[in-house]
Amino acid sequence: MATLRSAVPTPVPTHSLVEQIALRLADDIVTGVYLPGERLKEQDIAARFGTSRAPLREAFRLLERDGLIRMMPWRGVCVTDYTRDEVRELFEIRADLLAMCVQRIVVQGDPAQLAAVRAAIDGLSALTEAGGDERDYKQATAALSAMLSEMTGNRYLHRLVTDFRQRLLWYYCFLGQSTIERRRESNRLWGDMLAAMERRDAWAAAAAAQHVTMATAAFALQLADARVARQSVA
């Protein structure tokens, strides 16, 4: 993916300066402007945003908290490049968290919540069949996961789900494009989860939620292996 950077400074709104910088850099990371392992040069980025280094360093701390960058003493700041084992472990935890969310929703037994989950999953299928692009689909699945964690009513669980989603967000967006067949298979797995939820089978719903996430993990790790193979040839 080509790396494009504007030579003209881009002014950042004075309100919430640190958050604005962090959001823009996060978007750059997940869209591949800055690649995994790439060093982020303070001077260049500060000039780009037309700001001093102090708010930029605060923004770096926010990005490090979210797992998008790593700040290393004497070596500067680099975009996170997880190892294969780290990616697998993150997906495993995320799968367990999503399963916990789904199980709690089933136990709560709120028909309105189940209707909202059905509408979101139907939306994924509609987006797929309408030829929606990859990023729209990933944003829709992110919104579905966020909704499921919010429905639990447990703010700490919701925060954990959000955190692990953020840590894997760049990985979802950078590594590659899935095929329409892959998205249809994902929709089928989401449908299996919904069916278990609607028949009030909490354990089956939790298992199906884990399956959704680990299927994505298998695809992501397959892409990671392909990336390593390309780099070894190069």
Side-chain angles (χ1 to χ4, degrees):
M1 183 181 296
T3 301
L4 301 176
R5 299 180 178 86
S6 174
V8 180
T10 306
V12 178
T14 56
H15 64 285
S16 304
L17 181 61
V18 170
E19 289 82 1
Q20 291 289 334
I21 295 172
L23 286 171
R24 292 194 184 185
L25 287 175
D27 186 66
D28 286 344
I29 290 169
V30 301
T31 56
V33 174
Y34 296 107
L35 304 180
E38 182 174 353
R39 183 179 176 186
L40 301 182
K41 299 178 181 178
E42 283 189 17
Q43 183 175 352
D44 292 347
I45 296 174
R48 173 189 168 198
F49 289 142
T51 187
S52 66
R53 293 192 183 189
L56 178 59
R57 287 170 181 167
E58 289 298 318
F60 281 161
R61 291 188 180 93
L62 294 180
L63 294 173
E64 183 178 43
R65 179 199 65 190
D66 290 340
L68 291 174
I69 66 170
R70 287 177 174 167
M71 301 174 68
M72 298 168 287
W74 314 114
R75 295 176 58 191
V77 179
C78 293
V79 177
T80 300
D81 192 2
Y82 291 120
T83 67
R84 192 183 194 281
D85 284 344
E86 286 173 325
V87 172
R88 176 183 51 77
E89 290 166 2
L90 285 169
F91 269 109
E92 287 173 349
I93 296 174
R94 178 170 164 73
D96 288 342
L97 290 172
L98 187 62
M100 190 183 303
C101 291
V102 168
Q103 195 169 41
R104 288 176 67 90
I105 294 168
V106 173
V107 171
Q108 288 165 191
D110 185 337
Q113 289 183 335
L114 292 179
V117 174
R118 170 169 284 283
I121 293 174
D122 286 345
L124 290 178
S125 296
L127 184 61
T128 299
E129 299 310 316
D133 67 28
E134 179 82 359
R135 188 161 187 176
D136 288 342
Y137 185 83
K138 287 173 179 174
Q139 288 175 340
T141 58
L144 173 55
S145 295
M147 181 178 72
L148 290 169
S149 61
E150 287 174 343
M151 283 179 174
T152 67
N154 186 315
R155 58 187 172 181
Y156 298 104
L157 179 55
H158 175 58
R159 190 177 303 166
L160 283 170
V161 171
T162 301
D163 176 64
F164 277 93
R165 172 72 193 186
Q166 185 65 27
R167 289 177 183 275
L168 288 166
L169 185 60
W170 74 268
Y171 206 85
Y172 278 109
C173 294
F174 171 73
L175 273 182
Q177 301 289 309
S178 64
T179 62
I180 189 170
E181 289 76 15
R182 167 73 185 91
R183 277 175 259 177
R184 284 172 175 161
E185 174 62 14
S186 180
N187 295 339
R188 186 188 67 77
L189 295 175
W190 282 112
D192 290 345
M193 183 196 77
L194 174 65
M197 293 176 74
E198 290 182 329
R199 66 175 183 266
R200 307 294 186 182
D201 188 336
W203 290 107
Q210 287 180 314
H211 194 182
V212 169
T213 304
M214 294 314 296
T216 302
F219 178 67
L221 292 172
Q222 179 183 358
L223 291 172
D225 290 341
R227 175 186 167 211
V228 171
R230 289 194 300 271
Q231 289 174 336
S232 64
V233 170

